[in-house]
Amino acid sequence: MTSSEPRILSIHFKDHRIESIDGGIVEEGTKWILVAAVRGGARRNGHVLIRRKFIRKMVPVGKFTNLAANVVGSWPPAPLLGADGQPLELDLNHGRLSLQSIAEHYPVLGFHYERRKGEGLVDGVLQLEDDDAALRFRIVTDEGRVRSGITTLDRSSLIALEIGSSRLSKLAAKMADSARVEETLAVEAPVVEAPADVEIISATKAFEIKPSAYLVRLANFQDVPGIQALHRRGGYAPPSPRFLERVIADEDSLVVVAVDREESVVGWAKANYIPSSIADPAGYYLTGVRVDDDHRRNGLAREMAGARLSWLRRRTDTVFASVPAPNQPARHYLSSLGFREIPQEEAPVQPGNSVLLELTLDAGQAR
């Protein structure tokens, strides 16, 4: 790099099926690289240890002042700190990286590993056993429960280790809450079931649902294969697992799925905040909906819209959508939800031949 100004790098892998990781290099060794990761353009998101042998290239994607102006805190990237606030010492020159010091400070780690069809991702609590060939850990579910069985991962297949990201921090908090709840229930007990017509998802992401043959609920990481299969059935290329996992975990995004009685994903939809660097105007957008061909005309698209608008109502009073002008079904669908098309002479310039729509939320529209 010719400039001394820090840049964010996009780190690409030799396997093209694995998505790149964006961030700034904290420390480099002969075997490993420690990266301070960023997401959503430039927000800090923990650290990633990446094994060098899997890296194809590292490409500067922008100066910090241009691309990362909304990173909280200082730059260059901060070192990996322990719970005591002191930097952790890592031997990045050793192929068999010792993870004990990391695991003692970060209860849940994300293991990105090589598999036949690309990359896998498992979240777990490391079992601190010294083994040159294997990593042993207990899997942590999306609900924060720690499975009792020990999972073994071949050390040579470890591509990267995710540390302290927002997704893992949430899992760690859920894990702690789950442990407290189980301890309380063991003493006090009776479990009170929620009403049949309401699914309590979380304090910030609960919404009403209607009794039917389908259930519209929050997506979780276990739904990723189902969402991909839904796209394949329709003849479309599926979103990558890492993209889906990121958007599911993102605090500024909502992903909902419609499932049938067998818990098969038959529809999904999302909404998220899009910054001014990507969209004009910046704001919350409905950013896509798909329903399985065999399950159309059952009101699933409208019910998923209601879930998204209920969530958005607590965050904004205006929602946008941008669709290709020739896509009349999408335009009709959004109009039926109350969106109005902004005349071309009033709307900011949209990419390609697209139409910008706007909805002003009120209590009636959000339910």
Side-chain angles (χ1 to χ4, degrees):
M1 302 178 198
T2 57
S3 171
S4 60
E5 182 179 8
R7 291 174 178 264
I8 290 179
L9 301 174
S10 181
I11 301 174
H12 298 258
F13 295 88
K14 292 178 180 178
D15 188 334
H16 293 278
R17 295 167 296 184
I18 303 174
E19 287 192 7
S20 61
I21 293 176
D22 295 339
I25 293 177
V26 176
E27 185 180 353
E28 295 186 66
T30 57
K31 300 293 185 180
W32 295 85
I33 294 177
L34 178 63
V35 173
V38 296
R39 67 181 175 92
R43 282 176 294 174
R44 290 191 183 280
N45 194 32
H47 292 75
V48 183
L49 270 167
I50 305 174
R51 193 189 290 267
R52 270 189 176 277
K53 72 175 185 178
F54 289 103
I55 296 175
R56 178 167 58 91
K57 63 179 179 178
M58 296 186 287
V59 183
V61 295
K63 291 184 178 180
F64 171 73
T65 52
N66 296 334
L67 183 64
N70 59 337
V71 172
V72 178
S74 62
W75 195 267
L80 180 62
L81 302 179
D84 56 3
Q86 298 301 312
L88 298 183
E89 294 186 6
L90 302 171
D91 182 4
L92 303 183
N93 297 316
H94 200 299
R96 183 196 158 279
L97 183 68
S98 175
L99 304 180
Q100 181 169 350
S101 61
I102 299 175
E104 289 174 350
H105 296 275
Y106 293 87
V108 185
L109 301 172
F111 300 88
H112 296 257
Y113 63 95
E114 186 180 34
R115 61 182 181 183
R116 290 178 60 187
K117 295 184 178 180
E119 179 205 21
L121 170 61
V122 182
D123 301 319
V125 176
L126 191 68
Q127 302 301 292
L128 301 179
E129 298 177 11
D130 193 24
D131 192 320
D132 287 337
L135 293 169
R136 292 184 174 86
F137 54 91
R138 299 182 189 273
I139 291 177
V140 178
T141 69
D142 290 340
E143 294 76 30
R145 297 185 180 275
V146 182
R147 293 182 182 172
S148 58
I150 301 292
T151 298
T152 301
L153 180 66
D154 188 341
R155 278 185 178 270
S156 64
S157 69
L158 186 64
I159 299 170
L161 188 74
E162 186 178 337
I163 308 164
S165 64
S166 59
R167 181 178 67 81
L168 295 178
S169 297
K170 290 177 185 176
L171 276 183
K174 287 182 180 179
M175 186 174 70
D177 289 341
S178 177
R180 284 194 293 269
V181 168
E182 288 182 358
E183 184 178 348
T184 301
L185 291 178
V187 177
E188 301 177 1
V191 179
V192 180
E193 294 186 359
D197 60 341
V198 176
E199 183 186 23
I200 304 302
I201 296 172
S202 75
T204 59
K205 288 188 175 181
F207 53 79
E208 296 178 13
I209 61 172
K210 300 175 182 177
S212 72
Y214 303 95
L215 172 67
V216 173
R217 59 166 172 76
L218 276 180
N220 57 56
F221 295 156
Q222 277 70 45
D223 294 316
V224 168
I227 294 173
Q228 292 186 298
L230 170 63
H231 279 255
R232 293 190 186 98
R233 289 196 299 271
Y236 300 95
S240 72
R242 178 171 295 202
F243 167 78
L244 291 172
E245 289 164 357
R246 283 179 175 173
V247 74
I248 287 171
D250 192 344
E251 294 178 354
D252 288 330
S253 299
L254 176 74
V255 181
V256 295
V257 291
V259 298
D260 61 16
R261 294 189 187 279
E262 285 71 43
E263 277 290 306
S264 296
V265 176
V266 297
W268 81 293
K270 62 187 177 77
N272 56 282
Y273 182 84
I274 303 181
S276 58
S277 59
I278 299 175
D280 187 8
Y284 282 97
Y285 282 71
L286 295 190
T287 49
V289 58
R290 186 169 298 283
V291 177
D292 190 281
D293 290 344
D294 294 337
H295 297 269
R296 293 183 183 274
R297 301 190 182 282
N298 286 310
L300 294 180
R302 180 170 289 276
E303 194 164 341
M304 288 190 288
R308 289 182 289 169
L309 295 177
S310 180
W311 179 79
L312 288 165
R313 179 174 171 267
R314 295 191 289 273
R315 289 158 176 78
T316 183
D317 55 9
T318 304
V319 182
F320 299 99
S322 180
V323 298
N327 192 341
Q328 291 297 333
R331 294 170 68 175
H332 177 74
Y333 164 69
L334 290 166
S335 296
S336 72
L337 298 176
F339 281 81
R340 75 170 187 93
E341 295 189 4
I342 300 177
Q344 191 170 6
E345 60 272 13
E346 299 178 16
V349 177
Q350 295 297 296
N353 184 21
S354 297
V355 175
L356 181 66
L357 301 93
E358 179 184 51
L359 172 65
T360 301
L361 290 175
D362 59 35
Q365 290 168 317
R367 297 187 182 277

